[in-house]
Amino acid sequence: MKAAEITEGTQERTPLSRERVLRCAVEIADVEGIGALTMRSLALALGVKPMSLYYYVANKGVILDAIVDMVFSEIELPSIDGHWQAEMRARGIAMRQALRRHPWAIGLLESRTSPGTATLRHHDATLGVLRQAGFSVALTAHAYALLDSYIYGFALQEAALPFNGPDTASEITAPIVELFSSGEYPHLVEIATEHVLKPGYDFGDEFEIGLNVILTALAQWLPRAENHGPQH
Amino acid sequence: MKAAEITEGTQERTPLSRERVLRCAVEIADVEGIGALTMRSLALALGVKPMSLYYYVANKGVILDAIVDMVFSEIELPSIDGHWQAEMRARGIAMRQALRRHPWAIGLLESRTSPGTATLRHHDATLGVLRQAGFSVALTAHAYALLDSYIYGFALQEAALPFNGPDTASEITAPIVELFSSGEYPHLVEIATEHVLKPGYDFGDEFEIGLNVILTALAQWLPRAENHGPQH
DNA sequence: CAGTGTATCGTACAGTGTACGAAAATGGGA
DNA sequence: TCCCATTTTCGTACACTGTACGATACACTG
């Protein structure tokens, strides 16, 4: 046994790679938040010294760009062969789930403006489905802006909420209720007490409701033959 | 003339205040980006030393919370007396404009989760208009989630775009076109060349299109008497 | 063995938020 | 006027950030 093997100890040293660096970066951001993702914490998690990372990555910025692109790569591409409404619904749901798994990606979208290949592929496939469905170029642009705005915005709201998933711990609701007891904000109180704070409520359920509204409205833009909505 | 006045020099020393600190913080974020907003840069802009800020502000986090709330305070509250569609349209437009003036606020929405009073007032007024229009509590929640998701998401996309406003400098479009010339992304190329890069195109124009689609769709949720949309 | 790329790291520097306590300015009785 | 208590400002220091620059170790060839 050589000395090198001893100093390395029990920890088998996987040889590090750009892949491994980026994967680990996503994991840290998921578990401890994007704020905890530093070059030093990343290196530590990889069992390596900080400066070693710069062999695989020019700077932290490209890590951020790359992990945003990895989020997009988790979203299954819509198929140009399926029905556009079904494909767009599935895409929306998958996209929201991905952004829920990686909420930090939403904030990065605003600051990092150089999309990666997975992002471009995703956009291209989505546009293709809309064009194939019969939307004109202009209507495709309108529809896409509408759909993506909704999806991003919903994910953003979801990320900003203090509660997640069905039911809510009372240690969360109590201070909210107390804050509202001032008498201002009567409508917020109404919505909260009669809807949001009711047992079983899950804000996430609102997503498909709004998505269906949009998809139904978009169907009205199509020529009658392809339009499945209830229209004149 | 006293010595104090001499040492202070030409620069009249407005006596610093929480107001002034926060206003200056917004201005720095607007002009140089949220990344340039540091306690040191803020102090320098105010003609003061960094630690002086902490007399008015507990930490940087409350500055971030407060400037997000200031953005909401710029949005005129919808009136409960107007027609709900007109009020919601005006609110959406005002909100998008505010987020366009202060793009950094979008990213902060994701990370800072304790809303200020202006934010709460805004939400309350909006919910009030929808309730007054005849939407049930549940439908109000659905409508609100849908509208706000769209508005936030649109602002997010707008902030992420490399170009802003009508027309686009060719030094921006050129690398994009080149990137697409690989032959992948055919639909992106189509949308870009036949729509987005056409002279006079402004992505911001997409906003009211989508907003109208949503408002029209929401009208279908109302009882017939109050429903102004084309419905069975 | 020497030599050549590949991969890892030590050290150092400017910049960040802010804890802690000292200093200055201010204002009001005596 | 002096004194003192409050209010307001600041100096210094510390832990932490990204990363520039150059040295080192490693795995191969020849």
Side-chain angles (χ1 to χ4, degrees):
Chain A
M1 183 182 280
K2 297 178 189 166
E5 288 175 10
I6 297 174
T7 55
E8 275 170 349
T10 57
Q11 176 174 337
E12 86 290 10
R13 167 180 286 274
T14 325
L16 200 53
S17 70
R18 190 183 159 99
E19 269 288 311
R20 236 163 70 79
V21 169
L22 297 179
R23 268 189 218 293
C24 189
V26 168
E27 197 176 312
I28 291 177
D30 285 346
V31 174
E32 317 192 46
I34 191 72
L37 175 61
T38 69
M39 298 305 276
R40 287 176 169 83
S41 71
L42 184 52
L44 188 67
L46 288 163
V48 111
K49 296 293 149 69
M51 288 312 292
S52 303
L53 303 174
Y54 288 90
Y55 186 75
Y56 300 94
V57 169
N59 52 53
K60 189 177 178 181
V62 321
I63 294 184
L64 298 180
D65 285 337
I67 62 179
V68 168
D69 204 51
M70 287 185 72
V71 172
F72 274 91
S73 75
E74 290 181 11
I75 305 166
E76 192 178 8
L77 293 181
S79 162
I80 209 164
D81 298 322
H83 185 13
W84 70 273
Q85 272 188 325
E87 294 296 323
M88 287 300 98
R89 182 177 293 109
R91 179 191 83 105
I93 291 170
M95 202 155 155
R96 171 188 160 237
Q97 283 174 342
L99 289 176
R100 216 168 114 73
R101 275 193 299 271
H102 315 293
W104 42 264
I106 304 164
L108 290 185
L109 285 177
E110 181 247 327
S111 49
R112 322 245 97 232
T113 57
S114 56
T117 62
T119 307
L120 293 173
R121 258 195 299 274
H122 173 90
H123 288 155
D124 193 73
T126 306
L127 291 172
V129 169
L130 292 173
R131 291 288 285 125
Q132 171 77 13
F135 290 96
S136 70
V137 171
L139 287 178
T140 294
H142 301 337
Y144 195 42
L146 174 46
L147 279 168
D148 265 25
S149 292
Y150 175 66
I151 296 165
Y152 287 145
F154 192 93
L156 179 61
Q157 289 200 78
E158 211 170 11
L161 283 181
F163 42 84
N164 263 341
D167 295 315
T168 311
S170 63
E171 63 260 31
I172 297 291
T173 69
I176 296 177
V177 173
E178 179 158 1
L179 184 79
F180 289 175
S181 68
S182 65
E184 309 179 85
Y185 323 125
H187 302 104
L188 271 175
V189 170
E190 183 190 49
I191 289 277
T193 56
E194 293 185 27
H195 194 68
V196 176
L197 298 182
K198 283 275 179 68
Y201 175 82
D202 184 350
F203 178 76
D205 294 341
E206 304 273 9
F207 180 70
E208 296 199 32
I209 296 173
L211 185 58
N212 284 332
V213 168
I214 292 175
L215 290 174
T216 304
L218 290 184
Q220 320 260 334
W221 285 354
L222 284 176
R224 234 170 286 109
E226 304 153 87
N227 177 348
H228 296 210
Q231 171 74 341
H232 50 243
Chain B
M1 184 182 278
K2 297 178 190 168
E5 288 175 10
I6 297 174
T7 56
E8 275 170 350
T10 58
Q11 175 174 337
E12 87 290 9
R13 166 180 287 273
T14 325
L16 200 54
S17 70
R18 189 183 159 99
E19 270 287 311
R20 236 163 68 78
V21 169
L22 297 180
R23 268 188 219 292
C24 189
V26 168
E27 197 176 312
I28 291 177
D30 284 346
V31 175
E32 317 193 44
I34 191 71
L37 175 61
T38 70
M39 299 304 278
R40 286 174 170 86
S41 70
L42 184 51
L44 188 66
L46 288 163
V48 110
K49 296 291 150 66
M51 290 311 293
S52 304
L53 302 175
Y54 288 90
Y55 185 75
Y56 300 94
V57 167
N59 52 54
K60 189 178 177 180
V62 322
I63 294 184
L64 299 180
D65 285 337
I67 62 179
V68 168
D69 204 52
M70 288 185 72
V71 172
F72 273 92
S73 76
E74 289 181 11
I75 306 167
E76 193 177 7
L77 293 181
S79 162
I80 209 163
D81 298 322
H83 184 14
W84 70 273
Q85 271 187 326
E87 293 296 323
M88 287 301 98
R89 182 176 293 109
R91 177 190 84 103
I93 292 169
M95 202 155 157
R96 170 186 161 238
Q97 282 175 342
L99 290 176
R100 215 167 115 73
R101 275 193 300 271
H102 315 293
W104 41 265
I106 304 164
L108 290 183
L109 285 176
E110 181 247 329
S111 50
R112 323 245 95 232
T113 58
S114 56
T117 62
T119 306
L120 293 173
R121 258 196 299 274
H122 173 90
H123 289 155
D124 193 73
T126 306
L127 292 172
V129 169
L130 291 173
R131 292 287 286 126
Q132 172 76 13
F135 291 96
S136 70
V137 171
L139 287 177
T140 294
H142 301 337
Y144 196 41
L146 174 48
L147 279 168
D148 265 26
S149 292
Y150 175 66
I151 297 166
Y152 288 145
F154 193 92
L156 179 61
Q157 290 200 75
E158 212 170 9
L161 282 181
F163 44 83
N164 263 342
D167 296 315
T168 311
S170 64
E171 63 259 31
I172 298 291
T173 69
I176 296 177
V177 173
E178 180 159 1
L179 185 79
F180 289 175
S181 66
S182 65
E184 308 179 85
Y185 324 126
H187 303 104
L188 271 175
V189 170
E190 184 190 48
I191 289 277
T193 57
E194 294 186 25
H195 192 68
V196 176
L197 297 183
K198 282 274 178 71
Y201 176 83
D202 184 351
F203 178 76
D205 294 341
E206 304 274 9
F207 180 70
E208 295 199 33
I209 296 173
L211 185 58
N212 284 332
V213 168
I214 292 174
L215 290 173
T216 305
L218 291 183
Q220 320 260 335
W221 285 354
L222 285 176
R224 235 167 287 107
E226 303 153 87
N227 177 351
H228 294 210
Q231 170 75 343
H232 46 244

